[in-house]
Amino acid sequence: MTSLNADSRQRHVLCVGAAVLDTLFRVRAIPQTPGKVLPHEMLQIAEGMASSAAYAIVRLGGMASLWGAVGDDPTGQQILTELEQAGIDVSGSARVAGARSAVSTILIDDDGERLIIPFYDPRLHEDVREVTPDDLAAFDAVMVDVRWPALAMKVLKAARAAGKPAILDGDVAPPHIIDMLAKHASHIIFSEPAARSLSQIGDPAGMVPLLKKQYPQALIVVTAGERGSYWWNEETADVAHVPAFRVKTVDTLAAGDIFHGAYALAITEGLTTDAAIRMASAAAALKCSIFGGRLGAPERAEVLALIRNGGCHQPA
């Protein structure tokens, strides 16, 4: 198996999509009826699917650039400033005149599950730049989410034309959006709910061959939380499985995003698919053990330690 340690050259991944100011509230339980809920912890942080994936890449020793869009408001400035301070190159992100920056309110319960209420101003994504293979010359791979589909599609096409890994975070979105982007990706990491919406079946292992037939050009992965990840192994022409690492779950917010960022970095470093998924799974598991969304993204040494310990996480 290819080593899980990075080689000597630092890899650079372009992440395209969401940049959001999230307000997180920790509550004992997510309410099922109308009323007032008093949180016992609160945090405000700039993140979002592509932004959190970019942060994971930086934490694991890579370089990450973000192409997102924010409004020309104080919230937008806060988002870009926080992400830049986190080590992400945001120089390619847009400030859109007259638009409101994206925000979310998120409840996280004592089991680590969450309820997300996001707001995206459609004006953020009205103008879409042209993207050519030359525009991607500085990057070793691209990773796009589903929040800015017009730009994501152009980036995926340009990456394929340039012969670079074109990775899609296939999360929940209107099925026609996921389908449109999936046709242009070389690697697709589906969340279980998104995969279910396309396959119309409930078994993650059974989803994989159906999705492989639908998108034959791509490496297909379906992530299923505590049940691990399922992927199509081209060598054996069958479904392979990587179990999840066991940790005490505190906060699942951004776990999938951390997975995608870790996976993107791993494949640029030449890891096998199995090793890349294992590294991504370990990074996502460690994130779940810490409250704070993307702030739980681990460093590489922590990931390697979890893998070496056979999935036994010793909390600090």
Side-chain angles (χ1 to χ4, degrees):
M1 180 182 292
T2 306
S3 172
L4 284 169
N5 290 290
D7 64 20
S8 58
R9 184 173 74 82
Q10 192 178 33
R11 301 304 202 269
H12 193 174
V13 180
L14 171 63
C15 299
V16 179
V20 187
L21 185 63
D22 284 345
T23 304
L24 283 55
F25 295 101
R26 288 189 80 180
V27 297
R28 296 302 178 196
I30 293 174
Q32 304 298 311
T33 58
K36 183 180 292 187
V37 179
L38 298 180
H40 57 89
E41 194 167 352
M42 177 269 191
L43 173 68
Q44 195 168 64
I45 181 172
E47 48 187 3
M49 292 187 290
S51 301
S52 296
Y55 184 63
I57 291 163
V58 171
R59 289 280 288 171
L60 291 169
M63 295 186 292
S65 294
L66 174 70
W67 287 3
V70 299
D72 61 344
D73 51 17
T75 299
Q77 185 59 54
Q78 181 179 350
I79 291 170
L80 294 183
T81 298
E82 283 191 23
L83 295 177
E84 185 173 34
Q85 290 174 345
I88 301 166
D89 176 11
V90 297
S91 60
S93 291
R95 294 289 303 269
V96 182
R100 289 182 289 175
S101 297
V103 295
S104 290
T105 295
I106 302 169
L107 302 184
I108 301 170
D109 69 16
D110 283 348
D111 293 323
E113 294 302 325
R114 69 266 198 263
L115 174 66
I116 304 174
I117 306 172
F119 171 77
Y120 290 90
D121 186 338
R123 293 173 293 180
L124 285 173
H125 300 150
E126 286 179 344
D127 294 330
V128 183
R129 72 181 74 182
E130 292 303 318
V131 183
T132 69
D134 288 344
D135 294 325
L136 305 182
F139 307 112
D140 296 291
V142 304
M143 199 291 301
V144 308
D145 68 31
V146 295
R147 291 293 176 256
W148 195 350
L151 180 59
M153 186 168 65
K154 290 187 176 185
V155 170
L156 290 173
K157 286 181 176 180
R160 295 291 300 280
K164 298 176 186 287
I167 306 158
L168 170 63
D169 172 357
D171 202 357
V172 175
H176 74 278
I177 295 293
I178 305 176
D179 178 67
M180 176 185 73
L181 297 176
K183 290 174 179 175
H184 299 287
S186 63
H187 299 69
I188 310 171
I189 304 174
F190 289 105
S191 67
E192 184 180 357
R196 185 183 303 115
S197 73
L198 292 173
S199 66
Q200 299 299 308
I201 64 173
D203 172 33
M207 296 172 186
V208 173
L210 292 178
L211 293 168
K212 179 62 182 178
K213 288 180 181 178
Q214 196 165 349
Y215 310 108
Q217 85 288 350
L219 190 148
I220 302 295
V221 183
V222 175
T223 59
E226 63 184 14
R227 286 169 292 170
S229 301
Y230 300 83
W231 58 282
W232 184 256
N233 188 322
E234 297 283 0
E235 294 182 1
T236 62
D238 201 0
V239 178
H241 178 241
V242 175
F245 290 88
R246 302 299 178 185
V247 298
K248 177 175 175 52
T249 300
V250 174
D251 173 13
T252 59
L253 181 67
D257 311 326
I258 302 306
F259 185 108
H260 301 136
Y263 176 87
L265 181 62
I267 63 168
T268 67
E269 294 175 350
L271 273 66
T272 63
T273 301
D274 182 82
I277 294 175
R278 197 172 303 278
M279 175 172 159
S281 298
L286 288 166
K287 185 264 116 17
C288 289
S289 67
I290 297 174
F291 171 71
R294 69 166 171 86
L295 294 182
E299 294 184 345
R300 186 178 291 259
E302 299 173 83
V303 171
L304 296 178
L306 180 60
I307 293 170
R308 281 196 302 268
N309 291 337
C312 180
H313 174 49
Q314 299 297 327

